[in-house]
Amino acid sequence: MSAGKYRKEHNCLNCGAHVEKHYCSDCGQPNLELKESFWTFISHSIAHYFHFDNKFFQTLVPLLTKPGKVTLDYLAGKRARYINPVSMYIFVSIVYFLVVYSPKHVEKDPDHGHIDIEEKKGANVSDSVNKALKLTGISKEIAIKATISINKAIKKKEFIELGFADQEKELKRLNAENAKLKSDSLSDIIDEYNDIHIERNDSTYAAYLSRQKKLPVSKQDSWYDRLIKKRAITLGEKSEVIQETLEHNRPKQYFLLMPLLAWFIMLNFRKNHIYYLDHLIFTIHGMMVYFIVSIITQPVMKHVFGEDSFMSKIIAVCVTIFLFWYMFKALTIFYQRKTWSTIFKIFWILILYAVAFKLTEMVMINLIYYVAT
């Protein structure tokens, strides 16, 4: 990055001290001319704000290609060439959550029109199975039973996808039909559909309370059961909001878990007798590698090949292998341990981190739930 034009005067504009060369020995400010072009001003502002100058690439390249080297150099006092770990972590994590994070909104299909399509598909499946069974030489009775069984499964799926009011109409029709036929098989179907209808009825807590009031006192849920039911229903109703809020809070979760991950590493490598801060700097550098690799690969997987494509799966496998290799090499170089000892410790570090991640996620979901309700 160009430093700009230096002043001929030798007084520091910031503190007034005498400047021998280009930088003030008292405050460190460069002795530059005040007047600069628009583009020089913009480039300097961006460079200083994001630290996106030569130091960024001097940190980035060895960080990705030489596991453990940046941490060892930084702790050895070779810091002028590298960006401060916390400053770079903040910048990289911001880019990561801007580039990689994209909340998924679940689009609900309308009920009308959808059932007709499913009915046609169900009829086609039923006919195809019936024809196939006949071609194989299976008896007519077995073919009829198989077809009836498939039809029941299809009808059940169609009933589940009906709206609450439509389910109620279908149950009334079936009950009226059963009153005439007195069929045991139809009664079983009605009982099964009633259970499905009750679950749909309890899709809101108000509906659940309304149904509870209609039941005899002996069959009503206790206050504790109602509390559990309320939580389950609310989580279901607000699942998309809760999930989206959870994803928005991932940066906080990663940031809060980082000191804990450093502690897990310290526990496994306690025989090295080094300070906790050294473990923390090592962990910060490792997390940055994960973010940087994700920044490069995730947009390609999502927007170029598609999330569920074969190429995306290959990239995901390659990224996983690289991250495991990087973690192994970094731990081996930084802590000077043998291969199998390092692999064993990686295993325990990952288990501890996974448990901590899941527990903190549960805490976050509960906090979001109580805020949302």
Side-chain angles (χ1 to χ4, degrees):
M1 184 184 72
S2 176
K5 188 177 180 181
Y6 290 104
R7 295 171 66 240
K8 294 179 180 179
E9 294 80 7
H10 294 282
N11 63 308
C12 177
L13 295 174
N14 183 51
C15 66
H18 181 74
V19 181
E20 288 292 339
K21 292 186 179 180
H22 299 314
Y23 293 89
C24 177
S25 57
D26 285 0
C27 67
Q29 177 171 290
N31 193 26
L32 296 171
E33 289 283 357
L34 292 178
K35 293 181 180 179
E36 54 186 355
S37 67
F38 173 78
W39 292 113
T40 305
F41 169 75
I42 294 297
S43 62
H44 284 180
S45 300
I46 293 172
H48 284 293
Y49 186 80
F50 292 111
H51 299 276
F52 201 82
D53 53 7
N54 291 334
K55 276 190 178 183
F56 181 83
F57 294 103
Q58 286 175 4
T59 308
L60 181 65
V61 175
L63 187 66
L64 291 173
T65 59
K66 299 177 181 178
K69 176 178 169 55
V70 175
T71 309
L72 286 171
D73 284 350
Y74 188 85
L75 295 176
K78 300 174 183 178
R79 302 181 179 184
R81 71 187 74 172
Y82 300 125
I83 294 177
N84 179 275
V86 176
S87 300
M88 187 169 179
Y89 174 82
I90 292 170
F91 168 65
V92 171
S93 63
I94 289 170
V95 175
Y96 170 77
F97 286 99
L98 285 174
V99 173
V100 175
Y101 169 73
S102 55
K104 296 179 180 179
H105 298 281
V106 179
E107 293 182 3
K108 296 180 180 179
D109 294 327
D111 290 334
H112 300 290
H114 181 70
I115 300 301
D116 294 337
I117 295 168
E118 290 297 328
E119 284 178 355
K120 289 177 183 177
K121 286 182 180 177
N124 290 336
V125 170
S126 180
D127 291 341
S128 299
V129 171
N130 197 12
K131 288 176 184 177
L133 290 171
K134 285 179 181 178
L135 287 172
T136 55
I138 292 173
S139 66
K140 187 177 180 180
E141 290 180 1
I142 295 173
I144 290 169
K145 285 180 180 179
T147 306
I148 291 170
S149 178
I150 291 167
N151 282 331
K152 281 182 179 179
I154 292 167
K155 291 289 183 184
K156 181 182 175 182
K157 184 184 176 184
E158 290 170 0
F159 183 80
I160 290 169
E161 292 178 353
L162 286 173
F164 180 76
D166 291 332
Q167 283 185 356
E168 201 161 14
K169 287 178 185 176
E170 181 65 13
L171 278 170
K172 285 180 181 178
R173 187 189 69 78
L174 290 172
N175 279 314
E177 187 178 338
N178 193 39
K180 296 176 182 178
L181 299 176
K182 303 291 184 183
S183 169
D184 292 335
S185 60
L186 189 56
S187 296
D188 292 338
I189 291 170
I190 290 169
D191 290 339
E192 190 176 7
Y193 282 13
N194 265 320
D195 291 338
I196 295 167
H197 187 58
I198 287 169
E199 285 183 14
R200 174 60 69 88
N201 189 21
D202 292 347
S203 59
T204 65
Y205 187 61
Y208 165 74
L209 290 176
S210 177
R211 186 176 65 82
Q212 284 288 305
K213 287 178 183 177
K214 295 176 184 177
L215 295 174
V217 177
S218 59
K219 291 187 178 181
Q220 289 180 8
D221 292 342
S222 65
W223 68 270
Y224 180 75
D225 291 331
R226 291 189 181 195
L227 188 66
I228 298 298
K229 190 72 175 178
K230 181 182 179 182
R231 186 179 185 279
I233 291 171
T234 308
L235 284 173
E237 284 179 331
K238 300 181 182 294
S239 59
E240 189 178 344
V241 175
I242 289 171
Q243 186 61 36
E244 194 169 326
T245 309
L246 181 66
E247 293 302 323
H248 275 299
N249 284 280
R250 287 294 186 200
K252 297 173 186 175
Q253 186 184 14
Y254 283 127
F255 189 78
L256 291 173
L257 280 177
M258 195 161 51
L260 193 60
L261 178 58
W263 185 65
F264 292 152
I265 294 172
M266 186 179 75
L267 284 179
N268 281 274
F269 293 95
R270 56 189 178 276
K271 291 182 180 178
N272 285 69
H273 302 293
I274 61 177
Y275 292 111
Y276 171 76
L277 184 60
D278 297 349
H279 296 288
L280 183 59
I281 292 169
F282 174 82
T283 306
I284 291 171
H285 283 143
M287 286 297 294
M288 280 195 288
V289 170
Y290 168 71
F291 287 155
I292 292 165
V293 171
S294 299
I295 289 167
I296 296 168
T297 57
Q298 287 292 332
V300 175
M301 292 165 62
K302 190 181 292 184
H303 302 297
V304 177
F305 298 111
E307 290 181 338
D308 299 322
S309 67
F310 179 70
M311 281 301 299
S312 292
K313 290 176 182 177
I314 291 175
I315 293 170
V317 170
C318 292
V319 167
T320 304
I321 292 170
F322 170 78
L323 291 173
F324 272 106
W325 169 84
Y326 186 95
M327 187 176 183
F328 167 75
K329 290 294 290 182
L331 288 169
T332 304
I333 292 168
F334 187 75
Y335 293 102
Q336 296 296 306
R337 294 298 181 91
K338 293 181 180 178
T339 301
W340 287 110
S341 174
T342 305
I343 291 172
F344 179 76
K345 291 179 187 303
I346 287 172
F347 175 75
W348 280 110
I349 290 167
L350 291 176
I351 286 179
L352 289 169
Y353 186 76
V355 171
F357 189 88
K358 196 65 182 176
L359 287 173
T360 52
E361 189 175 76
M362 288 171 63
V363 171
M364 288 170 67
I365 289 171
N366 279 282
L367 288 172
I368 294 165
Y369 161 73
Y370 287 116
V371 170
T373 55

